[in-house]
């Protein structure tokens, strides 16, 4: 199993550009989530999904969209990038209800100029 | 927010000593989890303790949970240089079809050889 994979590893955007951060897992996990990690702020939940076709907002959802068309994939879309979205983004997955342990991807470093 | 708050923010010890990190939270929880993050990497799950449990062990790790004080502690015994990392507590709360895991800001542990 590859576990949780994220692409790209690093991305530079200009203000106003849009992009999609990819996340995939091969563990048949129902629950997937996106976090951003900023210095001194810990991890903050952006969006999460408890299964295909179901998504919900986390703590800091503004400026981001998600969709969950399959169990395996959970892409995060930045609609119009802003410098405040410069961060490290982590995707995670877990078996919903039966085990809450989160398995994290390696992260995507995003720099918005 | 029921975000976990770790204490101390940073801890420096000698190899072989024990390291204790604390976590406090604000509201009722379903479980509390501890994660480790090596520099520049994704988070790795260490241990989960449920709200009806008081203590759990895993190798050199010991976690306690006091729901009356809304606090948890992580003890790493006989620390090694390889334990140098950031440690995060995360509080899990579920309701209906929703489940959220909220992270604290972390404790940076440095183990000196």
């Amino acid at each position: 199993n590859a576990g949780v994979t994220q692409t790209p590893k690093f991305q530079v955007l200009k203000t106003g550009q849009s992009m999609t951060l990819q996340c995939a897992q091969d563990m048949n996990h129902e629950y997937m989530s996106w976090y951003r990690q900023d210095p001194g702020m810990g991890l903050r939940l952006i969006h999460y999904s408890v299964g295909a076709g179901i998504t919900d907002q986390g703590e800091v959802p503004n400026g981001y969209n998600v969709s969950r068309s399959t169990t395996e994939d959970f892409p995060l879309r930045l609609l119009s990038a802003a410098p405040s979205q410069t961060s490290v983004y982590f995707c995670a997955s877990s078996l919903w209800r039966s085990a809450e342990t989160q398995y994290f991807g390696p992260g995507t470093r995003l720099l918005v100029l | 927010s029921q975000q976990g708050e770790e204490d101390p923010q940073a801890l420096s010890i000698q190899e072989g000593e024990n390291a204790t990190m604390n976590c406090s939270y604000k509201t009722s929880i379903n479980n509390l989890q501890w994660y480790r993050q090596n520099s520049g990497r994704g988070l790795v799950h260490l241990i989960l303790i449920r709200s009806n449990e008081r203590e759990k062990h895993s190798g050199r790790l010991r976690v306690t949970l006091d729901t009356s004080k809304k606090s948890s502690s992580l003890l790493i015994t006989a620390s090694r240089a390889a334990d140098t990392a950031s440690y995060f507590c995360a509080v899990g709360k579920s309701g209906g079809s929703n489940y959220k895991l909220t992270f604290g800001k972390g404790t940076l542990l440095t183990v000196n050889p």
Side-chain angles (χ1 to χ4, degrees):
Chain A
N1 287 348
V4 180
T5 58
Q6 292 183 238
T7 56
K9 291 185 178 180
F10 181 70
Q11 183 73 46
V12 179
L13 289 179
K14 294 181 180 178
T15 297
Q17 288 185 315
S18 63
M19 78 160 295
T20 299
L21 280 64
Q22 302 291 344
C23 174
Q25 52 88 14
D26 60 358
M27 298 173 283
N28 202 32
H29 285 173
E30 289 294 324
Y31 184 94
M32 296 186 74
S33 56
W34 276 101
Y35 294 88
R36 60 178 288 174
Q37 184 176 30
D38 302 296
M41 296 295 292
L43 278 80
R44 292 183 291 172
L45 181 64
I46 305 171
H47 285 285
Y48 67 98
S49 168
V50 298
I54 306 170
T55 63
D56 205 347
Q57 295 181 348
E59 185 182 358
V60 288
N62 292 341
Y64 307 95
N65 271 358
V66 292
S67 60
R68 186 94 180 271
S69 57
T70 67
T71 299
E72 294 78 20
D73 301 297
F74 191 44
L76 177 72
R77 297 181 185 85
L78 278 69
L79 308 173
S80 178
S84 61
Q85 293 179 304
T86 293
S87 187
V88 181
Y89 291 84
F90 289 100
C91 178
S93 72
S94 71
L95 283 171
W96 185 48
R97 288 182 175 171
S98 60
E100 295 89 342
T101 299
Q102 300 276 311
Y103 295 84
F104 280 81
T108 293
R109 292 184 176 274
L110 177 66
L111 175 62
V112 183
L113 302 175
Chain B
S1 171
Q2 57 186 345
Q3 181 185 44
E5 298 273 348
E6 292 93 341
D7 172 64
Q9 291 185 333
L11 180 62
S12 181
I13 60 174
Q14 295 300 121
E15 207 165 24
E17 295 180 338
N18 295 342
T20 299
M21 288 159 270
N22 302 297
C23 173
S24 61
Y25 57 92
K26 296 179 182 178
T27 64
S28 63
I29 61 173
N30 293 94
N31 64 72
L32 188 143
Q33 305 176 38
W34 286 91
Y35 288 80
R36 183 186 73 224
Q37 183 181 36
N38 291 92
S39 180
R41 302 288 186 90
L43 279 75
V44 174
H45 181 264
L46 295 176
I47 197 164
L48 179 153
I49 187 165
R50 301 193 184 282
S51 59
N52 61 352
E53 298 175 314
R54 292 298 168 259
E55 186 172 315
K56 286 191 80 169
H57 295 258
S58 177
R60 294 183 295 112
L61 305 180
R62 172 178 172 259
V63 169
T64 61
L65 179 65
D66 187 334
T67 53
S68 66
K69 294 181 180 179
K70 293 186 171 57
S71 67
S72 173
S73 67
L74 170 67
L75 169 67
I76 304 174
T77 60
S79 63
R80 306 166 181 167
D83 294 328
T84 294
S86 291
Y87 291 82
F88 294 88
C89 73
V91 295
K93 179 71 174 177
S94 63
S97 61
N98 299 318
Y99 178 82
K100 294 183 181 180
L101 193 62
T102 307
F103 284 81
K105 298 179 181 180
T107 292
L108 176 61
L109 173 65
T110 303
V111 182
N112 302 300

